[in-house]
Amino acid sequence: MNFLRGVMGGPSAGPQPSGADTIQKLCDRVASSTLLDDRRDAVRALKSLSKKYRLEVGIQAMEHLIHVLQTDRSDSEIIGYALDTLYNVISNDLEEEEQEENSAKQVDDLGSQFTEIFIKQQENVTLLLTLVEEFDFHVRWPGVKLLTSLLKQQGPQVQQIILVSPMGVSRLMDLLADSREVIRNDGVLLLQQLTKSNAAIQKIVAFENAFERLLDIITEEGNSDGGIVVEDCLLLLQNLLKNNNSNQNFFKEGSYIQRMKPWFEVGDDNCGWSAQKVTNLHLMLQLVRVLVSPTNPPGATSSCQKAMFHCGLLQQLCTILMATGVPADILTETINTVSEVIRGCQTNQDYFASVNAPSNPPRPAIVVLLMSMVNERQPFVLRCAVLYCFQCFLYKNQKGQGEIVSTLLPSTIDATGNSVSAGQLLCGGLFSTDSLSNWCAAVALAHALQENATLKEQLLRVQLATSIGNPPVSLLQQCTNILSQGSKVQTRVGLLMLLCTWLSNCSIAVTHFLHNPANVPFLTGQIAENLGEEEQLVQGLCALLLGISIYYNDNSLENYRKEKLKQLIEKRIGRENFIEKLGFISKHELYSRAAQKPQPSFSSPDHMMFDHEFTKLVKELEGVISKAIYKSSEEDKKEEEVKKTLEQHDNIVTHYKKVIREQDQELEELKQRINTLTSQNEQLQATVTQQVSQIQQHKDQYNLLKVQLGKDNQHHNSHGDTLQMNGIQTEEVSKLKEELEEWKNKHELLQGQLREKDSVIEKLVSAVSAELDPAANSWKISCEYFIRWTEKLCLCFPKELEMLRSQIQLQSAEISKLQMENQKLQVMVPVTCSFIYGNCISKTCLPATVAAFLNQNVLEGYRASAFYLCLYCNLLWDFACCQSEVKALSEEKESLKQQLDSSSSTVAILQDEKSKLRMISWCFWLTRIRKYLH
């Protein structure tokens, strides 16, 4: 311990050891000590010396420190000291004071050399990845810092090692979920270094849910009002999305664009913007531009633009654009962002055209921006941004181009002068004294004519009043007049670009240009002169304009036919000289810079010479103009003939295209009709199939009922084979009804007769009861008395007996007749009634009074009166049989009535099914006829 005190600055006897000797002794102690405490103290001492003696510690102790990381994993304290020591050795982020003290000893690339030594063994980086997984703060945090430093020094090599390491990227992604903000924030910095210029790692990080976690952190930190952490997260998002189409698509498909809208809710009070807020919002705008950059694939850019419109992000950006109090750099970047969000997207361009500035009266946002563009007091970068916004608004937007040009036409100019239009602002900038305004207005107007021959012809109608008392001149003539006055180079370059765009692919405009006799001599004179380098660019553009006048000349002017213009070039300029001057354009440095990207980005106003879209036009026309200059008259004639032939061919092709288009429309309509009829046919077939199945079910039910009815007919020995349920006709039903009515009347008559007979029997019973001995409790009578009573009864009622016998005979005849008719009815209508006529005889239903009388014991011993008793009993028996017969007939009548009702309902059901079958058959054959017709 005395030794360590000496190393750490404590008092000691004798001379002080040098730093190299002390570090060597500490390294020996780390390598040879068996006690963990001794090794820990030695590593702690190395950590304290690592900043001052960086080179010595790195050379002597690095191997021992790596060995400690491998062997002492169980002790987090020594691991933390070792990681901190390695970080101090490898990192170049030393404090300024330490850098000044060690400036003599510091090696320029010392950190990179130590990093190369460390990663020479790939296992060392893998070991670091495992240590970063430890939750202990004293291990995880220095491990994250060391890995970040390695990536800063040797990024591609360390990225490759992490990429091939199993779950290497996933381990580092867990840092974003750490609850300790220090580790989480340093984890963001680590991922920034990890994802630089490595698309494979960027994809892995994105699919490890990095977007969700980073957006959550930005929201937690307060969006644009957040601190440095928000800035780090935005930088990491840019690394993941920039030039990575896969991640951009994943970002859009994951609905993360919608979560960007709250970033730009800056509020009404925009004063007092902090520097961090400006930085954050600037990065947020750049992130939006990454998603809609013109260098991205068109499909990906278009889908992102639509998503930004639907989620309200474009509306929020336009709000910032028209707000007050916004810092100049944020306003400029917002204009550039809005430009790329609307570029080439018709929906977004239409919305931008409808945006009004909060002024009194309200003015369109386009007009307000153009005011800033032509105002020479505005900052240069802001004017460039407005020009880019106007170009993006007109890009592939013929509707917007027409609206801008229409503001220049005589019929649409506001005579009251209450409002300023976009066309008036462009003309004002085109003829102002500021050369930058001239150039911007000329380029903006050229974009309004880009690839639109109709508007080029309409712009020829524009007339300008140059001064009071002088007649108005055309816009084309005014441009050539200013060009010939010898203005600044920037102004002339802008006007020449406008004229070249205007005359290209428009023969009428070429004719109007050549109609002025001063234009061709001016161009030839400019090309033929030997001027300085600044004028060479003007000479090249003059050669391009003259070449366009030759190539698109329709030979309508006799003095300026193609051949004569070529002869003029040959005499005054020379073909080789003309081609050489034409080549000055594409060889110019500013031309190459403008051809790189659509956004005009210039370091100073003097460098604003070329427009991106114009460079495309030069590239397209330079070759064809060179060929046109060298062609002879015969070749021109042949070319004219070929052109005419091609025009005729094009007319024929156009005609056939029109015919084909009409046929395609008809075919499409027929296809739609076929699809409609097919769907209807499928529905009808489904209906037919369903109805066929229902019919089959009804048939099965009908057959089952038929079988059941057949069994019932066989049980009753009826003629059911000849009569079927569905065979009952209306006439038979009416006959049955009539017969039932007759049976009902007969039944009522018989009931009346039975009531009369019942009254007679009651009288007889009452008479017999009166003659009985009332004193005899046992109801016994003497034989002599009963005989006398019988004789007296026979003498007193001979007429009644004869009458009863005659009635019984008549009733027997009627009963036999009824039985025969009943049998006939049973043959005609099969029934399942369980009543059988003979059952009434076996089941005697005598009146209760008669039964009671017969059950008495008064008949014992009186054999002599058997004849009369039998006679009387037969009479009572006949009455009982008649009564039971009438009851049976009544029940049979009810059964017949039920059968009749069932038959009627069955007939109705079968008639309904018959009508349905006819309808189904009709639909089926109608469908077949339609198919045959089609």
Side-chain angles (χ1 to χ4, degrees):
M1 298 301 294
N2 292 332
F3 171 74
L4 285 175
R5 281 196 291 267
V7 171
M8 301 304 295
S12 60
Q16 294 289 336
S18 63
D21 294 339
T22 304
I23 293 169
Q24 182 62 44
K25 291 179 180 179
L26 289 173
C27 292
D28 294 340
R29 188 149 186 195
V30 171
S32 60
S33 295
T34 57
L35 295 177
L36 180 61
D37 293 339
D38 292 342
R39 293 198 303 275
R40 186 188 304 120
D41 293 338
V43 174
R44 182 167 57 241
L46 287 172
K47 174 188 172 183
S48 63
L49 296 172
S50 59
K51 291 185 178 180
K52 187 175 182 180
Y53 299 100
R54 180 183 177 192
L55 179 62
E56 292 80 359
V57 173
I59 293 174
Q60 300 181 43
M62 180 176 287
E63 185 177 354
H64 301 292
L65 293 172
I66 294 173
H67 184 71
V68 168
L69 296 178
Q70 295 172 346
T71 57
D72 292 331
R73 291 283 299 277
S74 60
D75 186 73
S76 60
E77 190 174 359
I78 191 174
I79 294 295
Y81 292 151
L83 291 172
D84 284 334
T85 305
L86 289 171
Y87 172 74
N88 293 335
V89 170
I90 291 174
S91 176
N92 288 330
D93 300 333
L94 298 177
E95 297 181 0
E96 295 181 0
E97 297 180 358
E98 295 174 350
Q99 287 181 352
E100 292 176 359
E101 293 176 1
N102 300 320
S103 58
K105 301 179 182 179
Q106 195 75 315
V107 181
D108 294 338
D109 203 15
L110 194 59
S112 178
Q113 293 176 5
F114 282 132
T115 301
E116 188 174 354
I117 295 172
F118 184 84
I119 66 174
K120 192 172 184 180
Q121 298 293 328
Q122 296 186 5
E123 295 80 5
N124 296 337
V125 180
T126 306
L127 178 62
L128 270 182
L129 293 174
T130 58
L131 292 174
V132 167
E133 284 187 302
E134 297 290 337
F135 187 75
D136 193 310
F137 181 80
H138 296 91
V139 176
R140 196 172 206 183
W141 188 36
V144 171
K145 293 193 297 181
L146 177 57
L147 197 54
T148 304
S149 182
L150 293 174
L151 285 165
K152 286 182 179 179
Q153 303 298 334
Q154 297 286 339
Q157 293 83 354
V158 180
Q159 285 175 342
Q160 190 62 29
I161 296 172
I162 295 175
L163 188 60
V164 299
S165 176
M167 300 297 292
V169 179
S170 300
R171 294 173 181 176
L172 300 179
M173 282 300 301
D174 293 338
L175 298 173
L176 297 181
D178 200 303
S179 58
R180 295 160 293 194
E181 291 188 1
V182 176
I183 295 179
R184 184 199 67 182
N185 298 341
D186 284 347
V188 173
L189 297 176
L190 169 61
L191 291 173
Q192 279 185 25
Q193 301 298 326
L194 181 65
T195 55
K196 279 185 177 179
S197 305
N198 193 310
I201 294 180
Q202 290 169 2
K203 292 178 182 178
I204 296 173
V205 171
F207 283 96
E208 288 286 343
N209 206 20
F211 294 139
E212 184 74 26
R213 296 182 183 180
L214 291 173
L215 292 173
D216 289 341
I217 294 173
I218 293 173
T219 304
E220 292 171 3
E221 295 292 328
N223 293 326
S224 60
D225 294 323
I228 190 68
V229 179
V230 174
E231 179 182 350
D232 294 335
C233 291
L234 292 171
L235 290 172
L236 177 55
L237 284 172
Q238 284 192 12
N239 287 350
L240 295 175
L241 293 174
K242 195 170 185 179
N243 300 324
N244 194 317
N245 299 327
S246 176
N247 282 2
Q248 290 176 7
N249 185 60
F250 180 68
F251 191 84
K252 178 186 69 69
E253 295 295 335
S255 300
Y256 296 118
I257 292 178
Q258 289 79 343
R259 297 188 60 180
M260 299 170 70
K261 182 184 176 183
W263 296 355
F264 305 101
E265 295 176 356
V266 295
D268 297 332
D269 187 11
N270 295 323
C271 59
W273 289 51
S274 64
Q276 187 61 55
K277 181 175 182 179
V278 172
T279 302
N280 291 343
L281 200 56
H282 192 81
L283 290 173
M284 290 173 177
L285 292 169
Q286 287 183 349
L287 191 61
V288 174
R289 295 184 64 184
V290 166
L291 296 172
V292 293
S293 174
T295 58
N296 293 341
T301 300
S302 176
S303 59
C304 290
Q305 288 172 335
K306 293 177 181 178
M308 290 177 184
F309 173 76
H310 291 300
C311 74
L313 180 58
L314 175 59
Q315 293 84 332
Q316 199 68 42
L317 292 174
C318 290
T319 302
I320 299 175
L321 193 67
M322 295 290 106
T324 57
V326 180
D329 53 347
I330 294 298
L331 180 60
T332 302
E333 190 63 23
T334 303
I335 294 173
N336 288 327
T337 305
V338 171
S339 304
E340 294 184 350
V341 172
I342 68 174
R343 187 176 188 269
C345 181
Q346 187 66 50
T347 304
N348 295 3
Q349 290 168 340
D350 292 341
Y351 172 78
F352 183 71
S354 65
V355 175
N356 290 323
S359 59
N360 191 15
R363 290 178 176 176
I366 298 174
V367 173
V368 176
L369 292 175
L370 288 177
M371 287 179 177
S372 301
M373 186 185 73
V374 298
N375 187 355
E376 56 184 319
R377 296 180 181 179
Q378 294 294 336
F380 171 66
V381 290
L382 179 63
R383 299 174 73 180
C384 291
V386 173
L387 176 61
Y388 183 49
C389 184
F390 190 76
Q391 292 174 352
C392 292
F393 170 68
L394 297 179
Y395 182 72
K396 294 184 178 180
N397 184 11
Q398 293 187 354
K399 179 181 177 182
Q401 289 176 328
E403 292 174 354
I404 297 298
V405 172
S406 66
T407 59
L408 289 167
L409 298 179
S411 59
T412 58
I413 294 177
D414 188 3
T416 61
N418 294 329
S419 62
V420 180
S421 64
Q424 291 173 348
L425 289 172
L426 292 177
C427 285
L430 192 64
F431 308 125
S432 69
T433 57
D434 179 31
S435 60
L436 183 59
S437 298
N438 301 152
W439 190 90
C440 291
V443 171
L445 195 56
H447 276 265
L449 304 175
Q450 197 77 34
E451 297 179 357
N452 199 323
T454 303
L455 295 181
K456 292 177 182 179
E457 296 178 7
Q458 290 184 2
L459 198 63
L460 296 172
R461 297 165 46 201
V462 177
Q463 300 290 321
L464 301 175
T466 57
S467 60
I468 300 175
N470 294 327
V473 297
S474 65
L475 177 62
L476 182 64
Q477 182 63 41
Q478 184 65 18
C479 291
T480 56
N481 291 340
I482 297 175
L483 190 63
S484 61
Q485 290 174 2
S487 54
K488 294 182 180 180
V489 174
Q490 191 175 37
T491 301
R492 286 183 287 165
V493 168
L495 291 172
L496 285 169
M497 286 194 298
L498 172 60
L499 291 173
C500 289
T501 305
W502 194 348
L503 269 61
S504 63
N505 201 20
C506 184
S507 301
I508 298 177
V510 171
T511 302
H512 278 72
F513 178 77
L514 296 177
H515 193 271
N516 186 351
N519 290 337
V520 174
F522 168 75
L523 293 178
T524 55
Q526 288 288 320
I527 300 170
E529 291 182 5
N530 294 322
L531 303 175
E533 293 184 0
E534 294 183 356
E535 297 293 332
Q536 287 182 352
L537 191 56
V538 176
Q539 288 181 320
L541 291 172
C542 289
L544 178 65
L545 182 59
L546 186 57
I548 291 173
S549 301
I550 295 173
Y551 185 74
Y552 292 104
N553 193 344
D554 58 357
N555 294 327
S556 58
L557 296 176
E558 183 64 28
N559 295 331
Y560 295 104
R561 297 174 64 86
K562 287 184 178 182
E563 187 61 31
K564 290 186 177 181
L565 290 175
K566 290 179 184 179
Q567 293 176 0
L568 186 64
I569 291 173
E570 179 67 26
K571 291 180 181 179
R572 295 189 179 182
I573 304 171
R575 292 181 181 179
E576 289 78 9
N577 191 21
F578 179 86
I579 299 301
E580 182 182 359
K581 297 293 177 67
L582 182 63
F584 284 165
I585 301 174
S586 57
K587 295 177 181 179
H588 204 280
E589 179 184 359
L590 297 178
Y591 173 90
S592 303
R593 188 179 302 175
Q596 292 177 0
K597 56 182 180 179
Q599 181 182 1
S601 57
F602 306 100
S603 57
S604 66
D606 296 335
H607 293 164
M608 290 187 70
M609 290 295 177
F610 287 106
D611 172 60
H612 178 75
E613 293 296 327
F614 182 74
T615 59
K616 296 180 181 179
L617 181 65
V618 173
K619 187 176 180 179
E620 177 185 353
L621 295 178
E622 186 177 5
V624 296
I625 290 175
S626 300
K627 292 180 181 179
I629 295 299
Y630 285 101
K631 285 181 181 178
S632 62
S633 59
E634 295 180 357
E635 292 177 345
D636 287 337
K637 291 180 181 179
K638 291 181 180 179
E639 185 178 354
E640 289 292 333
E641 294 177 357
V642 171
K643 281 186 178 181
K644 290 181 180 179
T645 306
L646 291 176
E647 288 178 359
Q648 294 177 357
H649 177 72
D650 291 340
N651 293 333
I652 296 172
V653 171
T654 303
H655 173 70
Y656 280 111
K657 282 183 178 180
K658 183 179 179 181
V659 173
I660 292 171
R661 194 178 299 110
E662 293 175 354
Q663 291 179 351
D664 288 339
Q665 292 177 356
E666 294 177 359
L667 183 61
E668 189 66 26
E669 293 176 357
L670 291 174
K671 285 182 179 179
Q672 292 179 358
R673 289 180 59 188
I674 289 172
N675 293 332
T676 304
L677 294 174
T678 303
S679 60
Q680 292 178 357
N681 184 25
E682 292 176 354
Q683 293 177 358
L684 291 173
Q685 285 183 352
T687 305
V688 168
T689 305
Q690 183 180 2
Q691 291 178 352
V692 167
S693 63
Q694 291 178 356
I695 291 170
Q696 188 63 37
Q697 291 178 0
H698 290 310
K699 285 183 178 180
D700 295 340
Q701 293 176 0
Y702 167 72
N703 293 330
L704 182 61
L705 291 174
K706 183 177 179 181
V707 172
Q708 291 178 353
L709 291 173
K711 290 181 180 179
D712 293 339
N713 293 339
Q714 291 178 0
H715 179 72
H716 294 288
N717 296 321
S718 64
H719 297 82
D721 296 336
T722 58
L723 294 176
Q724 298 178 357
M725 186 177 294
N726 64 339
I728 300 177
Q729 302 298 328
T730 307
E731 297 178 356
E732 296 176 351
V733 173
S734 61
K735 290 180 181 179
L736 289 174
K737 287 182 179 180
E738 293 175 358
E739 292 177 357
L740 285 174
E741 290 293 332
E742 293 178 0
W743 278 103
K744 185 176 181 181
N745 295 332
K746 292 179 181 180
H747 174 67
E748 291 177 354
L749 180 63
L750 289 174
Q751 281 184 345
Q753 294 176 357
L754 285 174
R755 283 194 295 271
E756 293 177 358
K757 293 176 183 179
D758 288 339
S759 64
V760 174
I761 291 170
E762 290 178 357
K763 291 178 181 179
L764 291 173
V765 172
S766 60
V768 173
S769 299
E771 295 294 333
L772 292 174
D773 186 4
N777 295 329
S778 60
W779 294 86
K780 294 182 180 181
I781 57 174
S782 62
C783 180
E784 292 83 6
Y785 183 77
F786 184 75
I787 292 171
R788 287 198 303 271
W789 179 81
T790 306
E791 290 176 353
K792 184 178 178 180
L793 184 63
C794 293
L795 292 173
C796 291
F797 299 100
K799 295 181 180 179
E800 286 80 355
L801 289 174
E802 289 295 329
M803 186 181 295
L804 288 173
R805 286 192 181 95
S806 62
Q807 288 178 356
I808 288 170
Q809 290 177 357
L810 290 172
Q811 289 175 357
S812 299
E814 289 176 355
I815 287 169
S816 61
K817 182 178 179 181
L818 290 172
Q819 287 177 350
M820 292 177 65
E821 291 177 354
N822 185 22
Q823 290 177 359
K824 290 179 180 180
L825 288 174
Q826 288 180 352
V827 171
M828 292 177 64
V829 182
V831 295
T832 59
C833 180
S834 63
F835 294 100
I836 303 174
Y837 178 75
N839 292 341
C840 295
I841 300 175
S842 61
K843 299 178 181 179
T844 308
C845 299
L846 297 176
T849 55
V850 179
F853 177 77
L854 293 176
N855 289 332
Q856 301 298 324
N857 295 326
V858 296
L859 300 179
E860 290 184 4
Y862 296 97
R863 303 288 184 179
S865 60
F867 173 76
Y868 297 102
L869 183 60
C870 291
L871 181 62
Y872 180 72
C873 290
N874 287 329
L875 178 62
L876 295 177
W877 180 265
D878 291 336
F879 288 155
C881 289
C882 290
Q883 189 176 6
S884 62
E885 193 70 33
V886 171
K887 184 178 180 180
L889 290 173
S890 178
E891 293 175 352
E892 188 172 359
K893 180 203 69 168
E894 293 295 329
S895 176
L896 289 171
K897 186 177 179 181
Q898 294 177 359
Q899 291 292 333
L900 179 62
D901 294 338
S902 176
S903 300
S904 300
S905 61
T906 304
V907 169
I909 292 171
L910 291 174
Q911 286 179 349
D912 187 31
E913 292 294 330
K914 184 177 180 181
S915 62
K916 288 182 179 180
L917 286 172
R918 288 179 178 176
M919 180 60 68
I920 293 169
S921 176
W922 184 82
C923 293
F924 176 76
W925 284 109
L926 181 60
T927 305
R928 295 289 299 273
I929 291 170
R930 286 180 177 176
K931 286 185 177 180
Y932 179 77
L933 292 176
H934 286 293

